[in-house]
Amino acid sequence: MNAPIGIIGGSGLYRMEGLALDRAVAVQTPFGEPSGPVHLGALDGIPVAFLARHGEGHRFTPSEVNYRANIWALKSLGVERLISVSAVGSLQARHRPGELRLVSQFIDKTRHRKDTFFGGGLVAHVSFAEPTCTHLSGALLATGRALSLPVEGDALYVCMEGPAFSTRAESRLHQSWGADLIGMTQVTEARLAREAELCYACIALVTDYDAWREEEEGVDATSVLEVMHANVDKAQALLRQVVPQLSGAPRACACGEALKAALFTAPETVPAEARKRLDLLVSKYGYGMVD
Ligand SMILES: CSC[C@H]1O[C@H](OP(=O)(O)O)[C@H](O)[C@@H]1O
Ligand SMILES: Nc1ncnc2[nH]cnc12
């Protein structure tokens, strides 16, 4: 089964409501094992692939998640559009717990991640000025508004390494940068989705005010999960409404050609190992496997 639409569920979203499960596939990738099996099924009749980012039972920290294997697995199952759901802290009073935001920009503070498929003899530099797909994010925003959900677009997300939350000083610093949201996962996923030529959008569900509000205790994980559980139905409702709209509509963006101007290495120098490892991504550009 081919699933052109993929969903990655983050903290508090470990299964997709309404997904009529066909099968769970354990995908092997050149980058190791994904966080768990990919659940293939139909959402209101539309084929969808679902993966829990932190694994079943939430077993991987944001630094341990094998983002490369996760994106690779979804790509190998035919995913072209990938919608991620992520729990985030709010850095500005106008973003309130329980509300949804669509992410359009990132500041990357991660330090311990494998965040590219390339290297080992094949170099690519993808454009990342617009790190999420504006078309996919636009469809989510319009659909969220039509459903009267508390949703806004254009959010700036600081991606920290974690797993500990920010100090108050860091939280205020991020706020002073004009950032809207903070989380620990999205920029890594977005980079890899771009290299894999997937459309990528992030539905951020605000769960807390991080640590900048002097009068409050800083965020803790239990309260994040409580707020997520109380509000995850909003993200699920948005997904269920948008998936049928996307299905069958051709992609009108450049995400599917992200590698076209990015591949830098002279083809004749690319080692057979790199060709084999990256075949899924680059064979269409003449860098495929050699026998
Ligand atoms: C459980 S609080 C911190 C945790 O929640 C967010 O996860 P995700 O982005 O996968 O929804 C954040 O990034 C941290 O991983
Ligand atoms: N305040 C916060 N910081 C980092 N990641 C988060 N995920 C949810 N809330 C968060």
Side-chain angles (χ1 to χ4, degrees):
M1 180 177 144
N2 216 22
I5 301 174
I7 297 169
I8 295 186
S11 298
L13 182 57
Y14 307 106
R15 53 183 286 276
M16 183 59 213
E17 200 61 47
L19 185 70
L21 188 61
D22 179 35
R23 64 202 158 104
V25 201
V27 184
Q28 302 299 322
T29 86
F31 300 91
E33 283 190 23
S35 299
V38 179
H39 294 269
L40 288 173
L43 200 57
D44 298 327
I46 312 298
V48 163
F50 177 86
L51 178 61
R53 176 179 301 119
H54 299 277
E56 278 157 30
H58 202 118
R59 291 174 299 118
F60 302 110
T61 70
S63 314
E64 288 171 336
V65 169
N66 189 341
Y67 298 93
R68 297 195 299 183
N70 288 354
I71 297 290
W72 191 273
L74 292 168
K75 169 99 181 169
S76 73
L77 293 167
V79 169
E80 294 181 342
R81 290 180 169 112
L82 178 55
I83 304 172
S84 156
V85 179
S86 178
V88 295
S90 164
L91 296 171
Q92 309 290 343
R94 67 179 182 281
H95 307 304
R96 290 181 298 250
E99 296 182 341
L100 305 178
R101 296 293 179 265
L102 295 160
V103 175
S104 62
Q105 284 295 329
F106 293 108
I107 294 174
D108 188 352
K109 291 188 67 194
T110 64
R111 293 168 289 146
H112 305 305
R113 313 237 173 133
K114 297 216 166 92
D115 59 4
T116 178
F117 293 112
F118 291 93
L122 182 45
V123 178
H125 301 281
V126 291
S127 294
F128 205 51
E130 301 294 341
T132 58
C133 175
T134 49
H135 286 74
L136 187 53
S137 302
L140 286 162
L141 182 60
T143 305
R145 283 184 176 146
L147 288 173
S148 301
L149 292 170
V151 62
E152 283 174 21
D154 255 334
L156 166 49
Y157 173 122
V158 175
C159 193
M160 60 183 287
E161 186 64 49
F165 292 110
S166 307
T167 64
R168 285 201 198 279
E170 288 165 339
S171 191
R172 279 191 224 109
L173 178 68
H174 300 148
Q175 188 180 52
S176 76
W177 292 345
D180 296 298
L181 311 172
I182 182 144
M184 305 180 189
T185 57
Q186 291 304 285
V187 76
T188 315
E189 226 164 70
R191 283 188 199 288
L192 292 160
R194 179 60 52 81
E195 288 188 352
E197 299 190 324
L198 307 183
C199 296
Y200 185 82
C202 167
I203 303 173
L205 203 163
V206 180
T207 53
D208 59 273
Y209 285 109
D210 200 38
W212 55 271
R213 302 235 286 200
E214 207 63 73
E215 67 280 16
E216 286 178 7
E217 305 254 313
V219 55
D220 66 67
T222 304
S223 56
V224 167
L225 267 192
E226 278 170 14
V227 177
M228 196 69 195
H229 284 149
N231 292 281
V232 74
D233 57 318
K234 295 174 192 161
Q236 303 249 28
L238 178 50
L239 288 165
R240 285 187 76 152
Q241 192 72 19
V242 86
V243 161
Q245 292 174 30
L246 297 171
S247 162
R251 296 201 279 174
C253 54
C255 301
E257 301 186 330
L259 290 176
K260 198 171 173 182
L263 291 160
F264 228 65
T265 309
E268 63 279 11
T269 69
V270 177
E273 181 283 322
R275 286 176 177 270
K276 185 162 177 241
R277 172 169 39 93
L278 293 164
D279 189 66
L280 178 68
L281 304 188
V282 300
S283 61
K284 74 187 219 202
Y285 297 108
Y287 285 86
M289 263 193 275
V290 280
D291 299 319

